[in-house]
PDB file of all heavy atoms in Angstrom:
ATOM      1  N   ARG A 284      10.552  -8.050  11.772  1.00 53.00           N
ATOM      2  CA  ARG A 284       9.623  -6.926  11.949  1.00 53.00           C
ATOM      3  C   ARG A 284       8.315  -7.249  11.245  1.00 53.00           C
ATOM      4  O   ARG A 284       8.299  -7.591  10.064  1.00 53.00           O
ATOM      5  CB  ARG A 284      10.242  -5.656  11.363  1.00 53.00           C
ATOM      6  CG  ARG A 284       9.400  -4.395  11.576  1.00 53.00           C
ATOM      7  CD  ARG A 284      10.122  -3.198  10.984  1.00 53.00           C
ATOM      8  NE  ARG A 284      11.367  -2.936  11.688  1.00 53.00           N
ATOM      9  CZ  ARG A 284      11.467  -2.180  12.769  1.00 53.00           C
ATOM     10  NH1 ARG A 284      10.393  -1.630  13.299  1.00 53.00           N
ATOM     11  NH2 ARG A 284      12.630  -1.976  13.332  1.00 53.00           N
ATOM     12  N   GLY A 285       7.210  -7.154  11.977  1.00 58.00           N
ATOM     13  CA  GLY A 285       5.919  -7.303  11.350  1.00 58.00           C
ATOM     14  C   GLY A 285       5.539  -6.009  10.641  1.00 58.00           C
ATOM     15  O   GLY A 285       6.270  -5.021  10.689  1.00 58.00           O
ATOM     16  N   ASP A 286       4.390  -6.005   9.997  1.00 76.00           N
ATOM     17  CA  ASP A 286       3.967  -4.808   9.280  1.00 76.00           C
ATOM     18  C   ASP A 286       3.147  -3.891  10.197  1.00 76.00           C
ATOM     19  O   ASP A 286       3.570  -2.800  10.533  1.00 76.00           O
ATOM     20  CB  ASP A 286       3.181  -5.196   8.031  1.00 76.00           C
ATOM     21  CG  ASP A 286       4.097  -5.758   6.944  1.00 76.00           C
ATOM     22  OD1 ASP A 286       5.295  -5.407   6.948  1.00 76.00           O
ATOM     23  OD2 ASP A 286       3.632  -6.547   6.111  1.00 76.00           O
ATOM     24  N   THR A 287       1.967  -4.334  10.583  1.00 83.00           N
ATOM     25  CA  THR A 287       1.148  -3.543  11.510  1.00 83.00           C
ATOM     26  C   THR A 287       0.679  -4.450  12.638  1.00 83.00           C
ATOM     27  O   THR A 287       0.269  -5.592  12.405  1.00 83.00           O
ATOM     28  CB  THR A 287      -0.063  -2.937  10.775  1.00 83.00           C
ATOM     29  OG1 THR A 287       0.379  -1.821   9.996  1.00 83.00           O
ATOM     30  CG2 THR A 287      -1.125  -2.442  11.753  1.00 83.00           C
ATOM     31  N   LEU A 288       0.739  -3.922  13.856  1.00 85.00           N
ATOM     32  CA  LEU A 288       0.319  -4.674  15.037  1.00 85.00           C
ATOM     33  C   LEU A 288      -0.673  -3.821  15.822  1.00 85.00           C
ATOM     34  O   LEU A 288      -0.357  -2.703  16.221  1.00 85.00           O
ATOM     35  CB  LEU A 288       1.536  -5.012  15.907  1.00 85.00           C
ATOM     36  CG  LEU A 288       1.277  -5.766  17.207  1.00 85.00           C
ATOM     37  CD1 LEU A 288       0.651  -7.124  16.926  1.00 85.00           C
ATOM     38  CD2 LEU A 288       2.584  -5.924  17.981  1.00 85.00           C
ATOM     39  N   LEU A 289      -1.874  -4.345  16.020  1.00 87.00           N
ATOM     40  CA  LEU A 289      -2.921  -3.624  16.743  1.00 87.00           C
ATOM     41  C   LEU A 289      -3.342  -4.412  17.984  1.00 87.00           C
ATOM     42  O   LEU A 289      -3.443  -5.642  17.940  1.00 87.00           O
ATOM     43  CB  LEU A 289      -4.151  -3.423  15.842  1.00 87.00           C
ATOM     44  CG  LEU A 289      -3.938  -2.676  14.522  1.00 87.00           C
ATOM     45  CD1 LEU A 289      -5.216  -2.699  13.706  1.00 87.00           C
ATOM     46  CD2 LEU A 289      -3.488  -1.246  14.771  1.00 87.00           C
ATOM     47  N   ARG A 290      -3.595  -3.687  19.048  1.00 88.00           N
ATOM     48  CA  ARG A 290      -4.124  -4.313  20.256  1.00 88.00           C
ATOM     49  C   ARG A 290      -5.577  -3.891  20.420  1.00 88.00           C
ATOM     50  O   ARG A 290      -5.885  -2.702  20.455  1.00 88.00           O
ATOM     51  CB  ARG A 290      -3.331  -3.878  21.491  1.00 88.00           C
ATOM     52  CG  ARG A 290      -3.823  -4.563  22.792  1.00 88.00           C
ATOM     53  CD  ARG A 290      -3.077  -4.065  24.007  1.00 88.00           C
ATOM     54  NE  ARG A 290      -3.302  -2.644  24.207  1.00 88.00           N
ATOM     55  CZ  ARG A 290      -2.381  -1.803  24.693  1.00 88.00           C
ATOM     56  NH1 ARG A 290      -1.173  -2.237  24.988  1.00 88.00           N
ATOM     57  NH2 ARG A 290      -2.668  -0.524  24.856  1.00 88.00           N
ATOM     58  N   ALA A 291      -6.458  -4.877  20.479  1.00 89.00           N
ATOM     59  CA  ALA A 291      -7.886  -4.603  20.610  1.00 89.00           C
ATOM     60  C   ALA A 291      -8.372  -5.098  21.962  1.00 89.00           C
ATOM     61  O   ALA A 291      -8.269  -6.285  22.276  1.00 89.00           O
ATOM     62  CB  ALA A 291      -8.661  -5.289  19.488  1.00 89.00           C
ATOM     63  N   GLU A 292      -8.893  -4.175  22.769  1.00 90.00           N
ATOM     64  CA  GLU A 292      -9.487  -4.526  24.056  1.00 90.00           C
ATOM     65  C   GLU A 292     -10.985  -4.735  23.836  1.00 90.00           C
ATOM     66  O   GLU A 292     -11.662  -3.887  23.255  1.00 90.00           O
ATOM     67  CB  GLU A 292      -9.259  -3.413  25.074  1.00 90.00           C
ATOM     68  CG  GLU A 292      -7.801  -3.089  25.349  1.00 90.00           C
ATOM     69  CD  GLU A 292      -7.094  -4.181  26.136  1.00 90.00           C
ATOM     70  OE1 GLU A 292      -7.794  -5.087  26.650  1.00 90.00           O
ATOM     71  OE2 GLU A 292      -5.854  -4.125  26.246  1.00 90.00           O
ATOM     72  N   THR A 293     -11.490  -5.876  24.264  1.00 90.00           N
ATOM     73  CA  THR A 293     -12.911  -6.172  24.115  1.00 90.00           C
ATOM     74  C   THR A 293     -13.457  -6.669  25.457  1.00 90.00           C
ATOM     75  O   THR A 293     -12.703  -6.955  26.387  1.00 90.00           O
ATOM     76  CB  THR A 293     -13.154  -7.249  23.039  1.00 90.00           C
ATOM     77  OG1 THR A 293     -12.824  -8.537  23.583  1.00 90.00           O
ATOM     78  CG2 THR A 293     -12.316  -6.997  21.800  1.00 90.00           C
ATOM     79  N   ASP A 294     -14.766  -6.809  25.531  1.00 90.00           N
ATOM     80  CA  ASP A 294     -15.380  -7.337  26.746  1.00 90.00           C
ATOM     81  C   ASP A 294     -15.010  -8.798  26.966  1.00 90.00           C
ATOM     82  O   ASP A 294     -15.171  -9.325  28.068  1.00 90.00           O
ATOM     83  CB  ASP A 294     -16.905  -7.200  26.659  1.00 90.00           C
ATOM     84  CG  ASP A 294     -17.352  -5.738  26.705  1.00 90.00           C
ATOM     85  OD1 ASP A 294     -16.577  -4.909  27.235  1.00 90.00           O
ATOM     86  OD2 ASP A 294     -18.442  -5.436  26.210  1.00 90.00           O
TER      87      ASP A 294
END
Side-chain angles (χ1 to χ4, degrees):
R284 184 179 295 273
D286 287 334
T287 284
L288 178 62
L289 302 174
R290 182 183 63 214
E292 300 289 349
T293 77
D294 292 337

